[in-house]
Amino acid sequence: MTRLFNDPAAFADEALEGFAAAHPRRVRQVPGGVVRATRTAPGQVAVVVGGGSGHYPAFSGLVGQGLAHGAAVGNVFASPSAHQVRQVAEAAETGGGVLLAYGNYAGDVLHFGQAAEALTAQGIPTRTLGVTDDISSASPEEAHKRRGVAGDLVVFKTAAAAAEAGLPLAEVARIAELANARTRSFGVAFSGCTLPGADHPLFTVDEGRMAVGLGIHGEPGMGERPVPSADEAAGLLVSTVLAELPEGVEAPRGHRAAVILNGLGSVKYEELFVVYRRVAQLLAEAGVEVVDPEVGELVTSFDMAGVSLTLCWLTDELEPLWTAPADAPAYRKGTVEAAELLAPDALAEAVEETVPPATDASREAARTVLAALRVLQDTVDTHADELGRIDAVAGDGDHGIGMRRGSTGAYEAAVRAEALGAGAETLLHRAADAWADRAGGTSGALWGVILRAVGSALGDTGRPTARVVAAGVRDASAGVMRLGKAEVGDKTMVDVLVPFADALTAATDAGQPLSAAWDTAAHAASEAAAATAGLLPRMGRARPHAEKSLGTPDAGAHSLALIVRAVHGVFAPTLENH
């Protein structure tokens, strides 16, 4: 388990700060992550990678000459926010455009996609690629739904080498897509990982048993079997990966492949070498010529005891990019010509010291909203451990941590905005941005949408009515479905948000005052959250483990229901009830 930490909610931030301090000649910290500390040639495509913390050396340890130009780093097992990704990309790019590369997880797809749209809109051409190498997470027919695991390294490395060679953005993106299409990974685990501050692992494996087809966010395996010998484990890994060949590879014999035997956190290097000994023998027997193999911890999952095997079937175009020199804190190959070290700068997030004008009525409403955000934060703090346990049943167990970071960031931003005299809209917009930024992940983005939509409805003038509040919640519901692509029945927060919005709208349209209408809608939300226990997830990290979640409510739905119940009555004193 993770034993050395201060505040668990600050773990990711403090780890990144310490990492940057330890590697000043290779990386420098910027808002949202790290970028190269060395000068990049003007006009070179910037390859910006990223994802949640807890996977070191991915993602920050892969920033350096010949590898990534920057890494956006999120909370533990949660994607960085779109704002963080954009900030890192802006610090890394030098005029050639940006390739954003990440593992194919819902939060990463959402945030990196939003960042790409924003960067392109401001004149920085940007492409995205989600790595999909984990063959256990979806069938070949649904390969686009697969997770990105240790194959991240192959895709990042070849794309970055192509950028270093001066290729344009379209070519760098094409090479990344080619490497991704030709990469396959499969893993096994003997124990789960434990998040900082948690008193138990995200999943357990019975003594003498092994989980197969695990994820890198503490997700349980797809099945279990007895613990094998090292040679038997090697045989399972090799036979599984060789069983699915990419297009153009009819049989293994005669093909060249990049090979990674990856330790997931607590399998010792000597154990990895014992396994790789047999992996190399089996690949040779199959006629595969191994090119520059890597054995070690490259994409981890905290202290998970596990190992994975990755093969990328090389082409004449990919091979020299895989073998090209690189010099990053956690990955070095060959010899690079040292680039000039950039002078330290004072990059810092701009502090907003002014707010748009607001009426007295809206500032009064803003104080009520601030009180609601305080109740929201207290509710999350009280239930954070419970939310994590629910999320760990079929997911990665980080929902409580993410909600705590998001709600705390939102409340702190709202306090600053209220002190400056902000109206309700401005206060909620700043809270929304802070939530998305601090929490990351899918829920961070969606809560940002919720708060922003309600804020836009309330405005900075006038006293919001009950119907205006209901309209804001209805807009939030539509925004969440549009951004998250979820529908009622998918076992997400949408299963609570939609009935809550519908009930609130119906009650206020019928003339109920806000307090009574909110109470009616909160009851509907609680019932809807409980009903998610009978659903199978169709989206997100819980989807590959759908059956495991039967009987347990969705964590996002449950947290939303808790929150709307807790803030009931806060609005009544200052919002008109008609």
Side-chain angles (χ1 to χ4, degrees), residues 495-497 499-500 503 518-533 553-554 557-566 568:
D495 290 298
V496 168
L497 185 55
F500 175 73
W518 194 277
D519 183 49
T520 298
H523 277 296
S526 297
E527 292 174 357
T532 62
D554 175 69
H558 184 59
S559 61
L560 176 58
L562 289 172
I563 287 166
V564 298
R565 167 53 60 199
H568 168 244

Side-chain angles (χ1 to χ4, degrees), residues 476-501:
S477 176
V480 165
M481 287 193 289
R482 182 170 56 251
L483 183 63
K485 305 295 189 296
E487 300 177 353
V488 172
D490 285 344
K491 196 164 186 173
T492 70
M493 70 186 306
V494 166
D495 290 298
V496 168
L497 185 55
V498 169
F500 175 73

Side-chain angles (χ1 to χ4, degrees), residues 431-522:
D433 292 343
W435 190 312
D437 222 26
R438 287 286 296 277
T442 305
S443 69
L446 298 182
W447 271 97
V449 168
I450 291 171
L451 298 185
R452 179 166 285 275
V454 174
S456 295
L458 298 186
D460 279 336
T461 62
R463 187 186 302 277
T465 67
R467 288 186 177 182
V468 166
V469 174
V473 174
R474 191 168 60 247
D475 291 344
S477 176
V480 165
M481 287 193 289
R482 182 170 56 251
L483 183 63
K485 305 295 189 296
E487 300 177 353
V488 172
D490 285 344
K491 196 164 186 173
T492 70
M493 70 186 306
V494 166
D495 290 298
V496 168
L497 185 55
V498 169
F500 175 73
D502 289 347
L504 187 63
T505 298
T508 55
D509 284 349
Q512 288 189 25
L514 181 61
S515 182
W518 194 277
D519 183 49
T520 298

Side-chain angles (χ1 to χ4, degrees), residues 65-91:
Q65 287 182 253
L67 239 168
H69 297 74
V73 182
N75 187 27
V76 175
F77 290 175
S79 66
S81 70
H83 184 223
Q84 289 174 301
V85 176
R86 191 171 73 250
Q87 287 177 302
V88 173
E90 289 170 346

Side-chain angles (χ1 to χ4, degrees), residues 257-261 276 279 283 290-294 309-312 322:
V259 177
I260 299 171
L261 186 67
Y276 187 72
V279 166
L283 290 175
V290 175
V291 178
D292 270 15
E294 297 287 347
L309 178 67
T310 298
L311 263 69
C312 175
W322 170 244

